[in-house]
Amino acid sequence: MSTSRTTLWARGLLVAGLVGATALVGPAANASVESPEPTPAGGDYVETTPPPTIELTVLQPVCDGDVPYLEYDVDVTGTPNDTVTITWLNPSGANVVQAGLPLSGRVLWPGATVDDAGNPTGWPGWVFENGEWVEGGTFGWVRPTVNVLFQVNPETTVSVDYPPSSPNCNTNPPGKTTPPGTTTVDGKVTTVSNSAGAEESGLAATGATVGKFVGIGAALLLVGGGLVLVARRGRKSDA
């Protein structure tokens, strides 16, 4: 083989080798490597999703057709749940749970009952015995106030008052115008000291206490007024 042919053959081998090497290492050398996203100190990711919230936009005890109800409207964020569980918290016994309810509506007060037409047949704190309504039963704890738990995930607990009666709506049995635990003497509502009414006497006791302090305040005003009159008369006599 001549020298020129040998040189050309060698150059061809060299070029072929370079092309093959480029084909093998070129893509790997030119490939981009994604760097991991920076993480906060300590290596923990920061939670960016806000926690779920719950708010009661409506919470109103109502009397409708002599039946006690609790109207409510629950506003929640950050949760797919679309039902609420309402639990009436009994401080000394079994709770009353009303589950799978819509996020807004109204529910019967525990111990209240109605017939198929929605007419009242029972009231908390009262039982029908021997042809008349008398104080008793197992739902005296829902009056005059009760704590109620609303659960949607999240949850919240609130205190609600038993709905008051009005001239057009009575939240007590027919003929019973005062709440259990009270009675009327000479036109005045007084607290009953028996055990059946002890749980229900909080409002009456509060009213009595307020009346006591109002009476004391009135007496002090009268005494103060008398002192002012005496002082004025003393000044006139000195003149």
Side-chain angles (χ1 to χ4, degrees), residues 2-205:
S2 64
T3 303
S4 60
R5 288 182 179 180
T6 302
T7 302
L8 291 174
W9 179 74
R11 289 179 179 176
L13 289 177
L14 178 60
V15 171
L18 292 174
V19 171
T22 302
L24 290 174
V25 302
N30 295 329
S32 61
V33 178
E34 294 185 1
S35 60
E37 299 231 351
T39 59
D44 296 329
Y45 286 97
V46 176
E47 178 63 49
T48 58
T49 303
T53 64
I54 182 171
E55 180 182 1
L56 291 169
T57 58
V58 175
L59 189 66
Q60 182 65 42
V62 296
C63 179
D64 185 5
D66 296 338
V67 180
Y69 294 97
L70 178 63
E71 290 186 352
Y72 68 92
D73 192 348
V74 183
D75 184 20
V76 293
T77 63
T79 176
N81 297 341
D82 58 0
T83 60
V84 59
T85 296
I86 299 178
T87 303
W88 304 74
L89 302 176
N90 186 347
S92 59
N95 299 327
V96 175
V97 181
Q98 300 163 321
L101 301 174
L103 294 180
S104 63
R106 71 178 184 179
V107 292
L108 272 174
W109 217 268
T113 57
V114 296
D115 59 19
D116 293 338
N119 299 313
T121 58
W123 293 263
W126 299 93
V127 292
F128 194 70
E129 294 180 349
N130 302 322
E132 66 174 342
W133 289 99
V134 296
E135 295 181 30
T138 58
F139 290 97
W141 55 273
V142 301
R143 307 174 63 162
T145 61
V146 61
N147 289 331
V148 185
L149 170 65
F150 288 80
Q151 293 174 297
V152 184
N153 186 24
E155 63 186 43
T156 185
T157 300
V158 293
S159 178
V160 294
D161 297 327
Y162 187 77
S165 298
S166 69
N168 299 322
C169 193
N170 191 14
T171 53
N172 298 298
K176 304 295 183 179
T177 58
T178 58
T182 59
T183 187
T184 302
V185 179
D186 296 332
K188 297 180 180 181
V189 176
T190 59
T191 301
V192 176
S193 59
N194 59 37
S195 58
E199 297 178 59
E200 313 272 343
S201 61
L203 287 180

